Amino acid sequence: MNITDESIPVGWNFDNSYSRLPEKLFSHIEPKMVRSPRLVALNASLAVKLGLAKEGLQSAGGIATLGGNEIPNKTKPIAQAYAGHQFGYFTMLGDGRAALLGEHITPSGERLDIQLKGSGKTPYSRGGDGRATLGPMLREYIISEAMHGLGIPTTRSLAVVTTGEIVNREKPLPGAILTRVATSHIRVGTFQYAAKWGKLEELRILADYTIKRHFPEIEGTEQPYLSMLQEVVERQANLIAKWQLVGFIHGVMNTDNMTISGETIDYGPCAFMDNYDPATVFSSIDREGRYAYENQPRIGVWNLVAFGEALLPLIHENENQAIELVQQTLSRFSEVFQETWMNGMRAKLGIINKEDDDESLIGDLLNIMESYQADYTNTFRALTTNGIANTGLADKKEFTLWYQQWKERLSRQDLSEQEIKVVMRKSNPAIIPRNHRVEEALEAAVEKNDYSVMDSLLQALSKPYAYNQIRKSTLNHQSHPIVSIELFVVLDRIDLC
Ligand code: AMP
Ligand code: MG
């Protein structure tokens, strides 16, 4: 990375609309100085989208901002207050290790939160040190960018700087700060906080602000708060259906980690499922499997119930009537989820019309995959590339039968084989961020200061559906080749991506 000593303008264009809300909702803070910020990851294409100069971000002044050492003119950082149900238990939280630098207004007029994660203690730090370590910040960078590549709504990652300081965890680790970009950081937990500890008027102001920022089309309508709930229900149902379709497991679906915008947020112990097993859990602290793959839609509803509960006093002065309205609205979740998931699954199988038996066709395949511990991504990818002969399913009787039914089903729509392939390629990623690939990239970066593995991985993950381009973009890294889809057809049994 070309780093310059002089300061070059970055192009920040900050506003602080959240700071104009009642003070109960945030605290003014100064990010704590760090010893020697060093830029280790910069998302150049995102910088362009934000109207920021890459050279500016790479310059001494740009890096000082990304490290929290220099606050650009015209912005006043804050830490946001929020609460949340963590593994079912309600508690006060807030940005304990993050500073919201402000809202950057892009040249196209988009308002985006710029948050430094790992920037030091705040009034909400409780016992914590306010810091983050390099591995998890790079992990969030990689997975959030992979999600973006997959077309799944998510917060983005602009940069990671190391701080030059050691952070003590189970062992001493290098400190780092991630610059996170989000359409906002307003969470279900933000509303829970306002409902529990704020005045009704403060809750209303937060809701009005959120509507203006995320759902301007419902401003001034008859039941704006109920409409907001419905919008969030629909966005979350769509989001979680998309997670399920790519086998993504968030890992910590606490209410403070669920956005109102419908973006995926807070990549902790998340991962993509390898073998299809609905009970898969990645988080070691999730001993009861609360946030297992198969539970994600149900937990989505659980969290939205908490959101609805927080909104009750705004929805109707009569609590019973408010509850009834909220319940009716929450029932939209399963309709939207089912619709998005079914259509997504149909597309994964190259189906574009609807038949009553589609659900059982899909269910049968998933059951077979579960029985034979077939890899989720690779099975759909093999169906897409006619590569099933090289998978463990090829010689299984149930699968052969299913395959025939599938082919018959495909013939009952007006699509050529070529067109079916196009639909499938758009719906079945050829590349996902496999845990061992992510770990490899992190180890090289953290242990050896070698970011080339991560760069190759990010490059591959930016075009997960580009079956034909995979070889060109990824085979240039000698020690960590991500094998091409063409080779994959031959080497199908090996876990390649
Ligand atoms: P997370 O697990 O990142 O969703 O964080 C849950 C809560 O713990 C949030 O309120 C964080 O701000 C807080 N938190 C996590 N790590 C730290 C830390 N090192 N210092 C202070 N607060 C933290
Ligand atoms: Mg969180």
Side-chain angles (χ1 to χ4, degrees), residues 10-238:
V10 175
W12 293 118
N13 180 21
F14 279 115
D15 184 35
N16 299 100
S17 68
Y18 204 85
S19 311
R20 298 193 280 275
L21 296 180
E23 270 183 31
K24 183 99 199 166
L25 295 170
F26 63 90
S27 297
H28 285 290
I29 53 155
E30 292 278 326
K32 305 288 172 281
M33 296 284 281
V34 297
R35 191 176 303 146
S36 50
R38 189 169 78 87
L39 187 62
V40 293
L42 178 64
N43 193 334
S45 62
L46 179 59
V48 169
K49 197 173 159 257
L50 300 181
L52 301 177
K54 182 177 143 201
E55 296 72 24
L57 289 164
Q58 289 172 327
S59 75
I63 296 170
T65 297
L66 300 174
N69 283 0
E70 240 177 68
I71 306 304
N73 288 338
K74 269 185 51 196
T75 195
K76 284 179 91 178
I78 57 169
Q80 290 176 312
Y82 55 85
H85 276 96
Q86 298 200 304
F87 292 91
Y89 297 97
F90 187 72
T91 181
M92 173 60 201
L93 296 160
D95 289 333
R97 56 167 170 172
L100 179 63
L101 271 189
E103 301 132 31
H104 170 68
I105 316 293
T106 69
S108 61
E110 223 183 331
R111 178 179 295 271
L112 295 168
D113 275 7
I114 305 292
Q115 192 201 61
L116 302 182
K117 184 170 175 179
S119 58
K121 281 188 190 170
T122 78
Y124 312 114
S125 294
R126 299 171 291 162
D129 59 5
R131 290 298 179 194
T133 56
L134 179 58
M137 294 306 98
L138 293 177
R139 195 159 198 284
E140 172 155 347
Y141 187 113
I142 295 169
I143 312 272
S144 63
E145 287 309 302
M147 291 292 266
H148 174 71
L150 286 162
I152 298 177
T154 176
T155 61
R156 304 284 308 272
S157 296
L158 179 64
V160 175
V161 295
T162 49
T163 59
E165 294 172 7
I166 291 298
V167 174
N168 286 312
R169 293 289 179 261
E170 58 292 346
K171 58 178 184 174
L173 293 167
I177 297 175
L178 169 81
T179 304
R180 180 157 77 180
V181 181
T183 54
S184 92
H185 283 82
I186 305 170
R187 309 143 192 263
V188 167
T190 317
F191 279 88
Q192 289 182 289
Y193 167 81
K196 174 94 178 160
W197 289 293
K199 298 190 189 91
L200 179 58
E201 199 42 34
E202 289 165 336
L203 178 66
R204 190 186 308 281
I205 292 170
L206 173 66
D208 289 340
Y209 173 86
T210 307
I211 288 171
K212 198 179 174 74
R213 191 154 171 190
H214 290 295
F215 317 104
E217 62 287 355
I218 62 174
E219 231 182 335
T221 56
E222 214 173 293
Q223 264 283 27
Y225 308 117
L226 196 62
S227 301
M228 172 170 73
L229 175 64
Q230 177 161 333
E231 286 284 343
V232 179
V233 164
E234 291 179 3
R235 286 191 192 188
Q236 286 293 339
N238 271 315

Side-chain angles (χ1 to χ4, degrees), residues 453-470:
V453 186
M454 175 167 146
D455 288 344
S456 301
L457 183 60
L458 283 168
Q459 205 191 337
L461 293 170
S462 70
K463 291 195 175 70
Y465 301 103
Y467 280 61
N468 298 332
Q469 290 173 42
I470 295 163

Side-chain angles (χ1 to χ4, degrees), residues 427-444:
S427 314
N428 295 311
I431 294 227
I432 53 158
R434 296 269 183 201
N435 232 356
H436 66 276
R437 287 285 176 197
V438 176
E439 290 308 319
E440 233 168 49
L442 297 185
E443 197 192 315

Side-chain angles (χ1 to χ4, degrees), residues 82 187 256-257 266:
Y82 55 85
R187 309 143 192 263
D256 54 299
N257 291 338
D266 262 4

